[in-house]
Every structure is written in C-alpha cells, then in structure tokens.
Amino acid sequence: TPTPTPTPTPTPTPSATITAPYTPAAAARPSVGPALSVGRCINMGNMLEAPNEGDLGRKIQDSDFTFIKAGGFVTVRVPIYFAGHADTESPYTIDSSFLTRVDHVVTVAHDAGLNIIIDMHAYDEMNRDPYGQRTRFTALWRQIAEHFQYAPENVWFELLNEPKDGITNSNLLTLLRPALNAIRESNATRIVIIGGGLTSNITSLATLNLPDDPYVVPTFHYYNPMAFTHQGASWITPLLPLGVTFGSAADYAALEADMALARAYMTTTGRVPFLGEYGAYDVIAESERSKYYAAVSSGFASVGIQSCAWAYLNTFGVRNSSGWITSIKDALFTTTD
C-alpha cells in the first residue's frame, strides 16, 4: 500500500504592510487650552445617533469595546441623538431609558480601557432654528452634564456635531455658550469639544473663536474630496458617480494645503484641534479606501494632529461582520505619542 503523501501545512498569507505617505510626528502641544490625548480613535457611527438604535445597522454590543481596545484604539467617539429622545416642551426631559442606555455604553467602554467622547449628534432642529432651539439645547446639556458629573475625567463632551445652516462662526459662541455654562454648573473641569460652522469643515478653523474656558478643545471634520469619499452615497444630492479614485498629485496637493491650514490655526491660536471625523464610503474599493485613510490620518499626524476615523461599522466601516478590515484598520495612523 503506497504511503499517503502528507498534506502540506498552508502558510498564512501575511497582511500587506500599509505605508504611511506622511511621517507621523509627536503630538502638537497647545499653549492655549488642554492637551487632549485622543490617540487612535474610532467613531461608533450610525448607532446611537439613529432615530432608534438599530435603524441604521447593527446596534452597539458590549463586546465591541474590548474588540476595539484590542485593535489598538485609545478613544471612541459616540454620536448620540439626545434630541430625538427628549420632550419638545419645557423642561425638555430626556427619556430615562435612553439615558440609561447611554450610561451603559459609556460604562462598558470605560471598563474596556477607552476614552469616550459623548457627542450631541443629529440635532437638525438646532441647525435650522438655533435661536428657537437654544433653550432646549441648553436644557439637554444641563441634564447630560448632571447625569455624568461623577464620570471619570476621560469622558469628554462634544457640544454639537457639525454646526451648519443657521449656525455660523459669527454666532457660534452666542448660541453655544449657555450650554457650556450649564455644563460648568456641574462639571467645572470636564473637557468640552467645540467644532465650527460649515459642518466643522477644516476651513472653519480660520475664523473659529472659542470661549475663554481653559477646558475647551477645538475639532474639525474632513471628507475632502467629496467626489471620492461620498461617491454613490444615496443621501447626497445630486448622487455622486462611482469610479472615482484617490491618489493623484492634485489630491495630495489639496491635502497638503489643508494640512497647512491646520498648522496655521495652531500657530495663530496656540490651540491644537483634533480631527473628529474622516472616512470614505464602503461601496468604494477597499484598496482605494485604505489609501485614503492612510493619507489623511498620516498627513494630519505629521503636523501633530490626532484623528478619529468614521466609522467602526454600518457604512464607512473599518470592520465588517467578520472582523476588522485589516488593510483599513492598519491605515489609521496617529501621532508618535
């Protein structure tokens, strides 16, 4: 009887090494405001900012946070639709069961060893009618702040995601200051994050004036070029055609010009912003997406700015139902400290 030929042990295919097109530097140090150690960060996108959790994809699971921590992340940004779960008449009470859910998510994320950004997201009424909504906005933050006043110091508040429409940099402080004052009633030293108008586009940094508060940190978002990052996205009108790639000389020149805007802001103000959202829609080829995430994250890291990728799951995903999309996760660079 012939001796069976042994089946060879398959050699695992090594993951491709993702090269950073820019060399990350040490984190920039502010001379004004606190140094916020965001580190490697990811957004829990399309989860708690949905009309109801689960409407826009999978809900948050407790195991997500240990998985994220094991993936090398330091911070999670949690977008939350508080305004959709609160009364529209005074005293604008937030639904207790929703607040309990948020509290659970924050606790589990903290227990996993992560920093948490509680982000007021999807408050479209505030953008459309900011003066009419200002009292409600302030009341919501007073409740959130009181609820989390004893939370660990690495739980941070973000006042309003992507101010736009009726909110501009010229009226931003008038509209947001009452909410910041309400937070300070119970959280004197809690980090509060503020982004500018124009959906916190990087160009908003040029005219972003922040309150005279020693615990405020600026942020901006980055999805340039939209023709690449949002191609095929049904919520964009007109629909952007598929097939756009990233990586031309013009693409890198535009990115470098925006990096220069961020450097100028830091030089002028002494403050160090962080990049709170960036990403590319997951209908785009993985190779193109990884190239984009690597360019943006390493580009801003090269000028000392840390960043938070959009998003963990549910469109723009850095993971899928099987686990991390390794080529994209490994393309999320941050500063060297």
Side-chain angles (χ1 to χ4, degrees):
T1 303
T3 304
T5 303
T7 303
T9 302
T11 302
T13 303
S15 298
T17 301
I18 306 299
T19 302
Y22 301 95
T23 303
R29 304 297 178 194
S31 58
V32 177
L36 192 64
S37 297
V38 173
R40 210 156 176 245
C41 176
I42 198 159
N43 279 273
M44 307 303 289
N46 296 317
M47 291 176 156
L48 281 173
E49 86 274 25
N52 295 286
E53 187 182 8
D55 286 353
L56 300 177
R58 176 163 80 62
K59 297 180 180 181
I60 293 174
Q61 298 174 0
D62 288 0
S63 59
D64 287 330
F65 297 111
T66 51
F67 183 79
I68 288 168
K69 180 67 174 180
F73 292 88
V74 173
T75 301
V76 287
R77 181 174 180 260
V78 187
I80 304 170
Y81 188 23
F82 288 107
H85 298 272
D87 293 342
T88 56
E89 300 295 333
S90 181
Y92 311 108
T93 304
I94 299 172
D95 178 74
S96 60
S97 61
F98 184 74
L99 201 51
T100 297
R101 171 61 176 156
V102 173
D103 195 38
H104 176 79
V105 167
V106 170
T107 298
V108 174
H110 177 265
D111 289 348
L114 296 161
N115 305 318
I116 303 101
I117 299 170
I118 294 175
D119 162 50
M120 176 80 76
H121 210 97
Y123 195 171
D124 293 335
E125 305 95 320
M126 182 65 185
N127 287 312
R128 289 193 300 265
D129 181 22
Y131 291 95
Q133 289 288 319
R134 179 170 51 175
T135 299
R136 182 173 187 249
F137 176 68
T138 300
L140 296 182
W141 267 116
R142 179 174 283 108
Q143 293 172 71
I144 298 163
E146 289 175 353
H147 186 83
F148 287 102
Q149 63 182 307
Y150 301 115
E153 63 180 13
N154 66 333
V155 175
W156 308 320
F157 296 159
E158 183 170 345
L159 274 184
L160 183 65
N161 179 70
E162 296 188 353
K164 60 182 179 179
D165 299 335
I167 306 178
T168 67
N169 280 2
S170 63
N171 64 10
L172 185 76
L173 293 189
T174 298
L175 293 164
L176 300 190
R177 195 187 303 274
L180 178 61
N181 291 343
I183 290 170
R184 292 292 174 240
E185 292 168 8
S186 57
N187 291 259
T189 61
R190 178 84 56 194
I191 296 292
V192 174
I193 297 160
I194 296 178
L198 301 171
T199 66
S200 300
N201 184 290
I202 190 167
T203 58
S204 70
L205 290 178
T207 56
L208 177 61
N209 295 312
L210 294 181
D212 183 16
D213 181 302
Y215 301 101
V216 163
V217 173
T219 189
F220 66 97
H221 292 178
Y222 197 83
Y223 290 102
N224 298 345
M226 287 282 286
F228 172 75
T229 62
H230 284 67
Q231 58 187 288
S234 60
W235 62 94
I236 300 295
T237 303
L239 187 69
L240 297 170
L242 295 169
V244 179
T245 58
F246 178 84
S248 68
D251 287 336
Y252 281 104
L255 175 58
E256 288 163 16
D258 289 334
M259 290 155 52
L261 291 179
R263 280 197 303 269
Y265 175 80
M266 292 190 290
T267 300
T268 301
T269 66
R271 296 183 181 274
V272 176
F274 79 97
L275 172 50
E277 289 184 19
Y278 70 101
Y281 190 29
D282 56 14
V283 302
I284 302 168
E286 181 182 322
S287 59
E288 290 295 318
R289 294 182 70 216
S290 64
K291 193 190 313 178
Y292 180 80
Y293 281 93
V296 173
S297 61
S298 70
F300 285 104
S302 75
V303 298
I305 292 175
Q306 299 171 350
S307 56
C308 198
W310 189 279
Y312 175 60
L313 195 59
N314 301 339
T315 74
F316 288 68
V318 175
R319 72 158 291 178
N320 55 32
S321 58
S322 301
W324 293 117
I325 304 171
T326 306
S327 68
I328 296 177
K329 180 180 76 73
D330 290 352
L332 307 181
F333 296 97
T334 190
T335 55
T336 55
D337 65 350

